[in-house]
Amino acid sequence: MMKIGELARRTGVSIRMLRYYEQEGLLAPDRQESGYRDYSESDETAVRRIQMLTEAGLKLDAIRQLLPCMGAASPPETGAAAS
């Protein structure tokens, strides 16, 4: 788990923009009892995907619809094919 400042540093996205993504429903970090946000590796992945889609010219409304579809996206494993 990481704090918002760490996520901002790792992704290059400002703290203000991360809070905006949360407000828009694109991120849903866990909260500590103190109210601090706790971000996971999957949140970092989501932020990177949001950046990629934004750079491709998509608006947040479209990203909001696409992001859940990308949730489990991972490259297929390589190796010996079953025969």
Side-chain angles (χ1 to χ4, degrees):
M1 299 303 255
M2 67 187 101
K3 302 282 187 285
I4 194 167
E6 175 69 9
L7 181 61
R9 185 188 65 73
R10 290 172 74 164
T11 61
V13 174
S14 70
I15 291 172
R16 183 176 178 178
M17 187 59 72
L18 292 172
R19 288 182 180 139
Y20 179 70
Y21 290 162
E22 182 181 356
Q23 179 184 353
E24 290 296 311
L26 298 172
L27 292 176
D30 291 331
R31 294 279 185 149
Q32 296 178 351
E33 285 184 26
S34 61
Y36 286 104
R37 295 166 178 88
D38 263 336
Y39 293 92
S40 65
E41 297 293 325
S42 63
D43 291 318
E44 181 178 352
T45 300
V47 170
R48 293 188 188 285
R49 289 176 176 158
I50 293 166
Q51 287 178 291
M52 176 188 65
L53 294 169
T54 300
E55 289 170 5
L58 276 71
K59 302 292 183 196
L60 287 185
D61 287 337
I63 294 172
R64 190 176 297 107
Q65 292 178 358
L66 289 173
L67 204 57
C69 301
M70 299 172 74
S74 61
E77 291 187 30
T78 58
S83 43

